[in-house]
């Protein structure tokens, strides 16, 4: 048996400062292993507290007035683009771009950073967003050779193959904003406050170009880190946000629509179906969860959620069930049942494709996965790996 000191030295525990005693929120199903989340004296997570504020403490009329003021400052008079909406064509970005255009009279340019490998439904939704939703779009697709290499490196060294996508998803809309001199970038929700994270983010309408990209989105490791692993700096250009100087010249500001309008993913789904022909997952649900309408466009994203399950003991069903409790769609008992049934389901559907994409052998793939299991969360039994704690 490993000593406590050994356990504490595991890289995942060190890096994310994971508490060794696992505690679950008394209201939702999230645990204290989610990076940056905090629990109060009553054992309630800050995402649940924020959900409470959304219902009781925030005056949404006042917030909408703030939105109108912001948009009035930026709305173009000649119909030229006046707001950048980072968009995948999913339900949330469809809601954001479509509302800005049709309800608030803005002229959005949506900017898409391509998934690693498009799913059919993801591609169809982007096309519906453009053609049925009536939104202008720029699609950025990175150099596939570099992107594959980065994906493999990020899988091996960070335990998250999705990191190169996240770099571009953040940096590319900012680059386009700087290039076209459009200062305002409007995202959907602020994940840090909606799903639990850095409490400093509560009450913020957005941030400037520097934000806290490095810690909140890049796991503390920026794109240029990968030059240490043989990626050429010039090939990393698409992954880098504009320099401070470039951003200041344009006056870049990043805002979250979820600050100004009450954010309910399920309602965004109905809105996107009605206004842009959005399609849910044709398979009925996504692997690792019971939900059918979130994160549909990338064949590799099941591995992002699976690795989160390995590193933190909480997977895709936990995240989905937690926010559905907060939105009042399901109760905790049902959520627990859904987590037990679906959390950590292996993303079998695109497994072979993921191996081909990254060039990993099956053996190496499992070596990497197992290296990310923190000893306070996992134990090896004769039947294989088993989680030591589960929500109940
Ligand atoms: Zn909670």
């Amino acid at each position: 048996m490993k000593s406590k000191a050994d356990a504490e030295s595991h890289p995942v525990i060190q890096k994310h400062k994971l508490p060794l005693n696992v505690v679950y929120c008394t209201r939702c199903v999230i645990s204290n292993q989610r990076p940056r989340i905090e629990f109060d004296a009553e054992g309630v997570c800050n995402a649940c507290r924020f959900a409470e504020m959304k219902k009781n403490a925030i005056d949404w009329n006042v917030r909408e007035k703030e939105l109108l003021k912001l948009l009035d400052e930026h709305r173009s008079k000649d119909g030229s683009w006046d707001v950048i909406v980072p968009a995948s064509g999913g339900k949330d970005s469809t809601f954001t771009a479509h509302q800005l255009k049709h309800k608030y009279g803005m002229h959005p340019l949506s900017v898409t950073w391509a998934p690693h490998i498009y799913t059919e439904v993801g591609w169809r939704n982007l096309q519906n967003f453009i053609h049925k939703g009536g939104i202008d779009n720029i699609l950025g697709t990175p150099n596939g050779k570099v992107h594959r290499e980065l994906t493999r490196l990020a899988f091996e060294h960070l335990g998250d193959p999705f990191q190169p996508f996240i770099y571009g998803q953040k940096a590319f809309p900012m680059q386009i904003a700087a290039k076209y001199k459009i200062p305002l970038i409007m995202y959907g929700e602020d994940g840090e406050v909606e799903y639990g994270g850095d409490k400093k983010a509560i009450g913020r309408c957005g941030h400037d170009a520097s934000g806290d990209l490095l810690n909140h989105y890049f796991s503390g490791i920026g794109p240029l880190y990968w030059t240490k692993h043989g990626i050429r700096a010039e090939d990393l250009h698409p992954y880098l946000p504009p320099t401070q100087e470039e951003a200041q010249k344009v006056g870049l500001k990043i805002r979250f629509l979820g600050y100004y309008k009450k954010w309910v993913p399920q309602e965004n789904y109905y809105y996107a179906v009605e206004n842009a022909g959005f399609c849910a997952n044709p398979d009925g649900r996504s692997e690792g969860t019971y939900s059918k309408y979130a994160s549909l466009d990338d064949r590799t994203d099941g591995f992002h959620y699976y690795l989160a399950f390995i590193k933190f003991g909480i997977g895709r069903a936990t995240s989905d069930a937690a926010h559905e409790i907060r939105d009042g769609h399901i109760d905790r008992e049902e959520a627990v049942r859904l987590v037990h049934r679906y959390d950590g389901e292996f993303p079998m559907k695109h497994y072979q494709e993921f191996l081909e994409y990254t060039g990993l052998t099956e053996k190496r793939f499992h070596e990497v996965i197992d290296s990310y299991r923190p000893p306070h969360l996992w134990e090896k039994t004769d039947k294989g790996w088993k989680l030591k704690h589960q929500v109940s």
Side-chain angles (χ1 to χ4, degrees), residues 25 27-30 44-45 47-48 326:
C25 174
R27 289 207 188 155
C28 72
V29 282
I30 212 79
V44 178
C45 77
C48 284
R326 295 176 202 132

Side-chain angles (χ1 to χ4, degrees), residues 36-38 44-51 193 196-199 202:
R36 301 185 297 281
I37 203 163
E38 287 181 32
V44 178
C45 77
N46 55 4
C48 284
R49 287 297 182 205
F50 179 69
V193 298
D198 192 337
K199 66 169 184 258
I202 290 181

Side-chain angles (χ1 to χ4, degrees), residues 6-7 15 42 59 71 89 100 170 183 200 217 229 324 327 334 344 375:
D6 276 347
K15 187 162 156 234
E42 288 167 52
D59 184 337
L71 299 180
L100 286 174
K170 293 289 157 203
K200 287 197 297 292
Y217 304 106
H229 293 273
E324 290 203 347
D327 291 340
E334 186 179 2

Side-chain angles (χ1 to χ4, degrees), residues 25 44 55 69 112 115 126 136 187 189 191 223-224 226 281 300 302 317:
C25 174
V44 178
K55 271 185 220 126
K69 185 165 174 279
T112 304
L126 179 66
D136 295 334
Y187 277 91
E189 82 277 46
L224 287 171
W226 302 107
N281 193 333
T300 68

